[in-house]
Amino acid sequence: QVQVVESGGGSVQAGGSLRLSCVVSGNFYRSYCMGWFRQVPGKEREGVAIIDRSDGSTSYADSVKGRFTISQDKVENTVNLQMNSLKPEDTAMYYCAADHCAANGDHLNRAWYNYWGQGTQVTVSS
């Protein structure tokens, strides 16, 4: 059975940093995209950062470019999201997701992902 498990998150003041990690366990695809989405109450879940596990190519939401970095550790089989210069508007529940990469390149579209973690809260105070 495939499981997506997140770790990290927490509370930090504006300008601070946090790191999220995610691992997919079980018998999963050899080639897939994996990354992070976030959601606040009353709003749709939005794509934050995605990495293609096969070639390491990345996609970022405009709101996090230059502040967040997604990377993969092939030894540990994890995908990490380093979040720097955090802002109060980054406060959300962050979800890790994995699935085949979008055929049309729309990797930040949540509709492509069927495997999700339980979420981890990130809170940034001003």
Side-chain angles (χ1 to χ4, degrees):
Q1 185 174 354
V2 174
Q3 282 191 309
V4 179
V5 180
E6 306 111 333
S7 61
S11 298
V12 67
Q13 289 192 324
S17 299
L18 286 172
R19 183 179 177 89
L20 306 180
S21 294
C22 182
V23 61
V24 177
S25 63
N27 190 15
F28 203 56
Y29 310 128
R30 294 187 65 181
S31 177
Y32 58 96
C33 278
M34 184 169 170
W36 297 92
F37 292 75
R38 66 186 181 187
Q39 188 171 22
V40 297
K43 291 192 175 182
E44 292 188 350
R45 193 170 296 187
E46 64 173 357
V48 175
I50 295 293
I51 189 166
D52 185 328
R53 296 301 305 268
S54 62
D55 63 10
S57 58
T58 57
S59 301
Y60 292 95
D62 288 342
S63 59
V64 306
K65 283 180 181 176
R67 300 188 298 122
F68 291 11
T69 302
I70 190 169
S71 62
Q72 60 179 340
D73 184 330
K74 291 195 173 183
V75 174
E76 298 291 332
N77 197 31
T78 58
V79 168
N80 304 305
L81 184 67
Q82 179 65 40
M83 304 184 292
N84 298 328
S85 301
L86 283 160
K87 304 175 181 180
E89 51 263 45
D90 294 317
T91 295
M93 184 70 78
Y94 283 70
Y95 296 89
C96 183
D99 214 316
H100 286 304
C101 296
N104 63 359
D106 189 14
H107 302 309
L108 293 173
N109 187 336
R110 69 184 188 279
W112 287 102
Y113 298 86
N114 290 297
Y115 299 92
W116 293 86
Q118 293 299 306
T120 184
Q121 180 68 36
V122 170
T123 302
V124 185
S125 58
S126 58

